[in-house]
Amino acid sequence: MEGKIAIRKIVVPGEEIDEKGKPGNGVFVENGKLYSAYLGIVDTRAGYVNVIPLSGCYIPKKGDKVIGKIIDLAPMNWVVDINAPYYAPLHVNDVPWRVEFGDTGRYLSIGDVILAKVSNVNELGQVWITLKEQGLRKLEGGHIIKISPFKVPRVIGKGGSMIQMLKDYTGCRIYVGQNGIIWISGPPEGIITVIKAIRMIENEAHTYGLTDRVKEFLEENRGESNGNEE
Amino acid sequence: MGMKSDIKLIDDNGLRIDGRLPNQLRPIKMEVGILKRADGSAFVEWGGNKIIAAVYGPNEAYPKHVQEADKAIVRARYNMAPFSVDERKRPGPDRRAVELSKVISEALESVIFVEKYPRTSIDVYIEVLQADAGTRVAGITAASLALADAGIPMRDLIVGCAAGKVDDVVVLDLNKEEDNFGQADVPMAIMPRTKEIALLQMDGDMTYEELTTAMEMAMDAAKKIHEMQVEALKRKYIKEVDEDD
């Protein structure tokens, strides 16, 4: 890791974007000019100019796989914190079990963590999630860390290359929710290395050549440390 | 303001009590992302002012009756620490702090895309650690940095800047002595891109011409402060990369 690392162009809110194209996400138009709405990096693809924020909260999108925590029980549903501005209800019809009225606590109790899918979102920001699909389930054991939801694509990498590399080097099972919550399970040394690597990806998400540097880091750190994050 | 005194605030060379020219700002330092637990934060040192701003949210707004069905609400709290002034200030919100919280909330709301987050609140906490006149404008400058750091969509960064009248001269960015013994103080919040005004208050009195000059001065200064803001925001990400080398 020597020399300067190339950085993508950073824009601030209200900064004019010097690119031609249709306004995409994170961009607004005034007097025919494009301006950034976020502190982020400019990304032009398929004729659209987008600004990808460098920080911010998760906004649920239909079809996203998210990791959430049960925070409350009701007779017909659970309330799930999915790290978004709004809590999401999980209705008993959306789980793979047959739940009697008022018996929700037998299946999922407060503090349990689930891998769920966003089944619907409306313009008021209300969110519904479901567990009724292959691979969606309650997550038992393991470690949980939070990252910025905008850095999730970088942790996954192109076609899952980054996450696959983390799994291969450490022997851990990793689930990355689109909401920036990551669940890791495996040998303690592996978990520590994965957390360090993810923190590194998070800090350097806006640079080029990240995969190679993470690979180098994983080569150097095959286990060791005491179990405390940071 | 308005107090009679023998202090000469502007000397024969036209320099001010701290040696500045009439249209010169105090030294300003800005830093972004200083608090780990907040969603966004900033620290601004503006002359003798030391101010921390922290942003939390958007989160679902509670109590429920304050929610707006179609937009987010912006709740700013301006607070002065008991040790921020010469004589210990009684802690807690007073008349002045309540007023400033309200006008700052409204100024910030005008640049945020509030319609993106219905039913939520965006909470901004502005803590004045050391006060030396012009804390509300320094607070707005810090709050806008913290909002950008929190990833909240905005039309523009917002810049606070004050101007005033001292010894019959229109001057920029008053310090403590000029604020106490001067003739007028005009704090402003400006959107530097469109030159729109988000906040304008006046304490003391000025003629229309003097007010126009004061506003022009603040507009010019806003450009400079905006450049510093942009530099501070970008520096955070460049620094993060360098640290790991």
Side-chain angles (χ1 to χ4, degrees), chain A residues 100-131:
Chain A
E100 293 286 326
F101 182 82
D103 209 17
T104 46
R106 280 233 326 244
Y107 298 87
L108 291 169
S109 50
I110 292 171
D112 285 350
V113 175
I114 54 168
L115 176 67
K117 204 179 92 168
V118 177
S119 58
N120 206 5
V121 183
N122 70 6
E123 54 280 357
L124 288 175
Q126 286 166 322
V127 189
W128 289 268
I129 57 173
T130 178
L131 277 183

Side-chain angles (χ1 to χ4, degrees), chain B residues 30-191:
Chain B
M30 298 177 189
E31 208 177 319
V32 176
I34 48 151
L35 303 174
K36 201 177 159 209
R37 300 276 172 245
D39 295 325
S41 56
F43 175 66
V44 168
E45 223 179 302
W46 184 314
N49 293 314
K50 289 188 178 154
I51 292 164
I52 286 183
V55 170
Y56 296 82
N59 286 114
E60 212 158 335
Y62 285 106
K64 219 157 182 165
H65 70 264
V66 302
Q67 289 184 359
E68 300 259 3
D70 57 344
K71 62 184 184 83
I73 54 168
V74 180
R75 291 192 285 204
R77 190 187 72 161
Y78 168 97
N79 186 43
M80 276 178 112
F83 51 81
S84 64
V85 275
D86 288 339
E87 199 155 323
R88 187 187 119 99
K89 180 193 166 291
R90 260 179 71 106
D94 50 9
R95 196 214 99 253
R96 192 181 99 94
V98 172
E99 176 196 316
L100 293 188
S101 302
K102 179 180 181 291
V103 293
I104 291 172
S105 302
E106 284 165 5
L108 295 176
E109 195 181 326
S110 65
V111 289
I112 299 174
F113 285 101
V114 280
E115 57 283 1
K116 277 215 168 156
Y117 304 105
R119 300 192 291 121
T120 61
S121 77
I122 297 165
D123 296 319
V124 184
Y125 296 93
I126 299 166
E127 297 291 329
V128 179
L129 304 180
Q130 188 175 295
D132 189 43
T135 52
R136 83 193 70 179
V137 288
I140 288 172
T141 310
S144 115
L145 286 175
L147 285 167
D149 183 37
I152 288 166
M154 292 191 285
R155 265 172 270 274
D156 203 351
L157 287 169
I158 192 163
V159 175
C161 188
K165 185 164 83 159
V166 168
D167 283 358
D168 295 319
V169 182
V170 179
V171 294
L172 183 72
D173 189 20
L174 282 73
N175 63 23
K176 191 93 221 153
E177 291 74 25
E178 293 168 336
D179 189 24
N180 287 345
F181 306 110
Q183 292 155 299
D185 178 19
V186 186
M188 267 178 266
I190 296 161
M191 300 175 211

Side-chain angles (χ1 to χ4, degrees), chain A residues 8-19:
Chain A
R8 288 152 197 264
K9 189 175 168 16
I10 298 172
V11 287
V12 300
E15 186 170 329
E16 195 181 328
I17 300 171
D18 214 13
E19 307 252 356

Side-chain angles (χ1 to χ4, degrees), chain A:
Chain A
M1 280 187 255
E2 69 285 329
K4 259 217 152 345
I5 305 164
I7 295 176
R8 288 152 197 264
K9 189 175 168 16
I10 298 172
V11 287
V12 300
E15 186 170 329
E16 195 181 328
I17 300 171
D18 214 13
E19 307 252 356
K20 289 270 173 301
K22 285 177 260 182
N25 292 325
V27 172
F28 66 97
V29 186
E30 242 171 58
N31 301 326
K33 283 181 184 156
L34 297 176
Y35 296 97
S36 167
Y38 291 98
L39 171 63
I41 50 178
V42 182
D43 177 62
T44 319
R45 61 181 58 171
Y48 283 94
V49 180
N50 301 301
V51 170
I52 303 165
L54 286 166
S55 56
C57 69
Y58 168 66
I59 296 300
K61 269 206 317 285
K62 193 175 170 177
D64 278 359
K65 288 221 173 112
V66 296
I67 295 172
K69 191 162 124 191
I70 311 286
I71 55 161
D72 202 5
L73 303 176
M76 286 291 274
N77 60 281
W78 294 268
V79 180
V80 188
D81 179 6
I82 53 165
N83 202 26
Y86 320 95
Y87 295 133
L90 173 64
H91 195 262
V92 289
N93 288 344
D94 290 324
V95 296
W97 318 292
R98 180 159 156 61
V99 184
E100 293 286 326
F101 182 82
D103 209 17
T104 46
R106 280 233 326 244
Y107 298 87
L108 291 169
S109 50
I110 292 171
D112 285 350
V113 175
I114 54 168
L115 176 67
K117 204 179 92 168
V118 177
S119 58
N120 206 5
V121 183
N122 70 6
E123 54 280 357
L124 288 175
Q126 286 166 322
V127 189
W128 289 268
I129 57 173
T130 178
L131 277 183
K132 256 190 178 172
E133 198 171 293
Q134 192 121 75
L136 303 179
R137 60 195 183 83
K138 178 176 162 187
L139 298 172
E140 311 219 31
H143 238 71
I144 282 188
I145 59 166
K146 268 188 192 178
I147 61 162
S148 160
F150 300 102
K151 288 170 184 167
V152 166
R154 312 249 55 208
V155 173
I156 293 170
K158 270 207 186 84
S161 59
M162 185 77 87
I163 195 82
Q164 197 54 48
M165 185 168 78
L166 288 173
K167 285 177 181 168
D168 291 347
Y169 271 90
T170 59
C172 287
R173 290 158 69 213
I174 309 171
Y175 283 113
V176 184
Q178 288 296 323
N179 56 346
I181 295 180
I182 301 175
W183 179 86
I184 312 155
S185 173
E189 306 81 36
I191 292 180
I192 292 157
T193 313
V194 171
I195 291 173
K196 276 194 188 157
I198 289 173
R199 292 288 172 229
M200 178 177 158
I201 298 167
E202 196 182 11
N203 285 333
E204 301 179 24
H206 50 297
T207 61
Y208 293 103
L210 186 56
T211 317
D212 297 337
R213 266 177 288 132
V214 174
K215 190 168 185 173
E216 210 172 298
F217 170 81
L218 290 172
E219 294 276 3
E220 286 166 16
N221 292 276
R222 290 188 179 238
E224 42 112 25
S225 315
N226 58 8
N228 294 321
E229 190 192 339
E230 284 155 287

